[in-house]
Amino acid sequence: MEKGFLPICRRDMEEMGIKQLDFVYVSGDAYVDHPSFGHAIIMRTLEAHGYTVGIIAQPDWKDKTSIMEFGEPRLGFLVSSGNMDSMVNHYSVSKKRRKTDAYTPGGVMGKRPDYAVVVYSNLIRQVYKHTPIILGGIEASLRRLAHYDYWSDKLKRSILLDSGADLLSYGMGERSIVEIAEALDSGIDVKDLTFVPGTVYKTKSMDSVYDALTLPGYDELKADKLIYARSFYTQYCNTDPFSGKRLVEPYGEHLYVVQNPPAKPLSQSEMDRVYSYPYMRTYHPSYEEKGGVPAISEVKFSLISNRGCFGGCSFCALTFHQGRIIQTRSHESLLAEAGQFIWDKDFKGYIHDVGGPTANFRHPSCEKQLEHGACKTKQCLFPRPCKNLNVDHKDYIVLLRKLRELPNVKKVFIRSGIRFDYVMADQDDTFFRELCKYHVSGQLKVAPEHVSDAVLTRMGKPENSVYQAFTKKYKKINQEIHKEQYLVPYLMSSHPGSTMKEAVELAEYLRDLGYMPEQVQDFYPTPSTLSTCMYYTGVDPRDMKPVYVPRNPHEKAMQRALIQYRNPKNYDLVLEALKKAGRMDLVGYDKHCLIRPRQKDGRTQAFSGKNAGGKTRSSDRKTFIGKEQRKKRTIRNVHKKKTKK
């Protein structure tokens, strides 16, 4: 057995003197004992509470003996697809199979099945007919009630029913898994575990269900998309641990799926404890021969400082998974973790990230949240910051200063995302200045997502004017501190609400900026987001108003091509998009045009690549010119030098 790691096979279990494990964790990811991996946190939490647990990582789902490695656990099986939904892990937004899997040794694709939670759970049930099965992780959490499944283009039942499992733990799960373990250990039958916050169970009778909101039945949801939109919004308004109600979703006359209210957020001391467990902070040594697990490289020298997000972006599932109330770790806890890896032989002096879903959220958005919860029908930052919002970066500033002073640390980066509208809402520029001075390396990535206010409204993002003000201030501060640093905006195409008109508007913005992004994210309809509900139903569940939805793959390709209009490969798509939008004024030789007409011989002329002033900015060239353009420029420069000589 590898010292310090939890058992991965029967021999490990026997070497530890364990005759029967309390729990067996079945995961779609390889075993990585690092707090950025959900299976590591849940297993170490159980271990800290006195339970024995082993992991079967990426079992062969075609062979039921692979699930029998440890034999039958005393208390139950825990099943998760891993850190990602298995379908997102496997397929791009165009439903094409991905080539690599960062959570598998060597990055090999195909080591887990599609809909992994359902497949693993059914595999277990073939062998162990009565052993409790508890689902967890992101795939189960976001599919806990009826949900739209993009890959099959259908409304699916609760994953609890299709999997044959007994119980589902949603959210981060530390509180609920301990309560579940204690209940099972005390002799309570898994079918009687109907009282644990943060869980979902199934029942044939409503006799024991109290204080609940009954949602429309599954048959009604399938028959009418508008009914589903209203049901989804009811779920969305009940994701808060303080104000959320118990929800019941009927499946016929004698089967009900019951979602208990969310578990309470962890206190700071509880968060500290979770991250203080004896993680090995790397993948299991048995994967070394295959090249290790690629995903560890992004998190090995990073720090998770918070959970939750009150940003409320429509396309993000965090509201359903981690919730809107911020939970943080203490400075002492973060410094202690950093103190472990700054002496690592592979540490080069760079802490890659200090953050969470949103890096610069370090406290609840207002004082009311910890007593009354987040507002059901209002957002903290959208459409503009709430008057009760507590905008304060002081604690984060102090934390970053302490980390910068640690030995062996050359630079502390912030890569998990800055909420720029929250930065702009802060009247004190100290954080903004220190961000530019110490925590950016040439480029700062931010997520305006779009420039059209019509689309931004559906996204739950601030008006474009806020981002424009941020860019000006960013440029001004960098000039004052004598640094040449740039913004790299994350942009999204084909989000609900984006017609060809808005797509062209985004292309014009990029033209004026002198920037063509090398990567563009098409909107990806993943389970349990407001945007996915819009995509499926054609209405915004917040106001039930119709929303234009780009669903046709060709139209989506055109919207994407407009963002990368300078790429010659996109010429035909861009031309078609401009014709469809009635914007042929953007085809020509003028400085405002996106593309030029084809020459008489049928060849396509080069794209303008110029800004509104008719000149290509040197700073933009330096930062954003594509690889092929840089190569050609180098060849030209060499040729000029030879000519001069």
Side-chain angles (χ1 to χ4, degrees), residues 35-78:
S36 292
F37 289 73
H39 59 246
I41 284 184
I42 295 301
M43 290 195 298
R44 290 296 185 183
T45 297
L46 287 169
E47 180 190 44
H49 283 81
Y51 299 97
T52 57
V53 57
I55 182 169
I56 300 176
Q58 300 185 318
D60 182 355
W61 70 92
K62 299 172 186 176
D63 180 5
K64 62 183 180 182
T65 62
S66 67
I67 220 75
M68 300 166 64
E69 177 64 34
F70 294 108
E72 184 179 18
R74 184 173 70 90
L75 298 178
F77 281 95
L78 309 176

Side-chain angles (χ1 to χ4, degrees), residues 117 269 286 320 324-325 348 385 390 437 499 549 574 585 636:
V117 168
S269 60
S286 62
F320 268 73
R324 291 169 56 193
I325 295 178
K348 305 301 182 184
N390 178 14
K437 190 173 182 180
T499 68
V549 179
V574 173
D585 59 300
R636 286 198 303 269

Side-chain angles (χ1 to χ4, degrees), residues 157-158 160-162 201-206 214 216-218 248-258:
R157 305 191 304 170
S158 163
L160 192 60
L161 301 181
D162 290 339
Y201 66 94
K202 54 191 176 185
T203 181
K204 294 181 179 179
S205 171
M206 290 283 287
T214 301
Y218 179 64
V248 178
E249 192 169 72
Y251 288 81
E253 295 181 1
H254 302 292
L255 182 60
Y256 307 90
V257 172
V258 183

Side-chain angles (χ1 to χ4, degrees), residues 303-313 315-316 318-319 322-328 353-363 381 393 396 399 414-423 431 445-447 449 461:
L303 296 167
I304 298 172
S305 65
N306 60 44
R307 287 183 186 173
C309 180
F310 52 76
C313 298
F315 48 80
C316 179
L318 272 166
T319 296
Q322 289 191 358
R324 291 169 56 193
I325 295 178
I326 302 299
Q327 303 156 70
T328 60
D353 189 25
V354 183
T358 299
N360 54 323
F361 289 171
R362 279 285 296 171
H363 51 74
L381 283 164
H393 288 91
Y396 195 36
L399 171 61
I414 301 173
R415 290 180 175 170
S416 56
I418 292 292
R419 187 75 189 211
F420 63 83
D421 49 346
Y422 188 72
V423 174
F431 172 71
K445 296 179 180 180
V446 286
E449 306 294 356
K461 299 287 285 187

Side-chain angles (χ1 to χ4, degrees), residues 222-514:
K222 285 199 301 181
D224 191 332
K225 291 182 179 180
L226 295 184
I227 291 178
Y228 174 73
R230 293 189 184 96
S231 177
F232 178 84
Y233 193 57
T234 299
Q235 297 173 46
Y236 187 83
C237 292
N238 285 277
T239 55
D240 186 84
F242 294 94
S243 61
K245 296 291 186 181
R246 185 172 286 100
L247 303 177
V248 178
E249 192 169 72
Y251 288 81
E253 295 181 1
H254 302 292
L255 182 60
Y256 307 90
V257 172
V258 183
Q259 175 184 299
N260 286 320
K264 292 292 191 291
L266 298 182
S267 66
Q268 188 169 88
S269 60
E270 289 170 327
M271 277 274 282
D272 288 352
R273 186 182 182 193
V274 165
Y275 287 88
S276 70
Y277 296 144
Y279 303 101
M280 300 304 292
R281 300 191 61 81
T282 188
Y283 50 77
H284 194 274
S286 62
Y287 304 136
E288 199 66 58
E289 290 183 4
K290 297 178 181 178
V293 180
I296 191 65
S297 62
E298 290 296 317
V299 298
K300 188 173 183 180
F301 302 123
S302 296
L303 296 167
I304 298 172
S305 65
N306 60 44
R307 287 183 186 173
C309 180
F310 52 76
C313 298
S314 303
F315 48 80
C316 179
L318 272 166
T319 296
F320 268 73
H321 189 60
Q322 289 191 358
R324 291 169 56 193
I325 295 178
I326 302 299
Q327 303 156 70
T328 60
R329 294 168 61 189
S330 69
H331 292 192
E332 291 74 18
S333 171
L334 290 159
L335 291 167
E337 184 178 354
Q340 294 178 46
F341 65 65
I342 59 175
W343 305 107
D344 189 291
K345 60 181 177 60
D346 296 324
F347 183 67
K348 305 301 182 184
Y350 303 101
I351 295 178
H352 295 157
D353 189 25
V354 183
T358 299
N360 54 323
F361 289 171
R362 279 285 296 171
H363 51 74
S365 63
C366 69
E367 295 179 1
K368 298 178 181 179
Q369 277 196 354
L370 291 179
E371 184 178 352
H372 304 289
C375 298
K376 283 192 174 186
T377 58
K378 294 180 181 179
Q379 293 291 340
C380 304
L381 283 164
F382 174 80
R384 53 192 54 85
C386 173
K387 63 180 181 180
N388 295 318
L389 181 65
N390 178 14
V391 184
D392 189 350
H393 288 91
K394 293 185 182 67
D395 181 70
Y396 195 36
I397 292 169
V398 173
L399 171 61
L400 293 169
R401 287 173 178 172
K402 290 177 180 178
L403 290 168
R404 293 201 305 265
E405 292 172 359
L406 290 176
N408 290 348
V409 173
K410 298 175 183 176
K411 189 95 174 180
V412 179
F413 293 110
I414 301 173
R415 290 180 175 170
S416 56
I418 292 292
R419 187 75 189 211
F420 63 83
D421 49 346
Y422 188 72
V423 174
M424 293 302 293
D426 194 343
Q427 299 300 309
D428 183 351
D429 288 342
T430 304
F431 172 71
F432 206 162
R433 296 186 71 84
E434 294 205 7
L435 170 69
C436 296
K437 190 173 182 180
Y438 299 111
H439 305 290
V440 177
S441 181
Q443 299 177 359
L444 175 65
K445 296 179 180 180
V446 286
E449 306 294 356
H450 214 281
V451 297
S452 167
D453 287 343
V455 180
L456 290 169
T457 296
R458 298 304 177 190
M459 289 179 163
K461 299 287 285 187
E463 294 176 347
N464 183 44
S465 59
V466 180
Y467 178 66
Q468 295 306 317
F470 177 81
T471 61
K472 290 178 182 177
K473 197 165 186 178
Y474 180 77
K475 182 178 180 180
K476 180 176 180 290
I477 290 175
N478 276 291
Q479 287 175 342
E480 291 173 354
I481 63 176
H482 307 294
K483 285 202 169 190
E484 192 173 6
Q485 300 185 132
Y486 307 96
L487 285 175
V488 178
Y490 283 126
L491 301 169
M492 185 182 294
S493 63
S494 304
H495 187 276
S498 177
T499 68
M500 206 59 73
K501 172 180 175 291
E502 284 77 29
V504 172
E505 187 179 337
L506 181 54
E508 290 184 287
Y509 169 76
L510 293 172
R511 172 203 65 200
D512 296 342
L513 189 64

Side-chain angles (χ1 to χ4, degrees), residues 608-621:
S608 67
K610 296 179 180 179
N611 62 18
K615 297 180 179 179
T616 307
R617 303 174 188 173
S618 61
S619 60
D620 294 332
R621 284 202 308 269

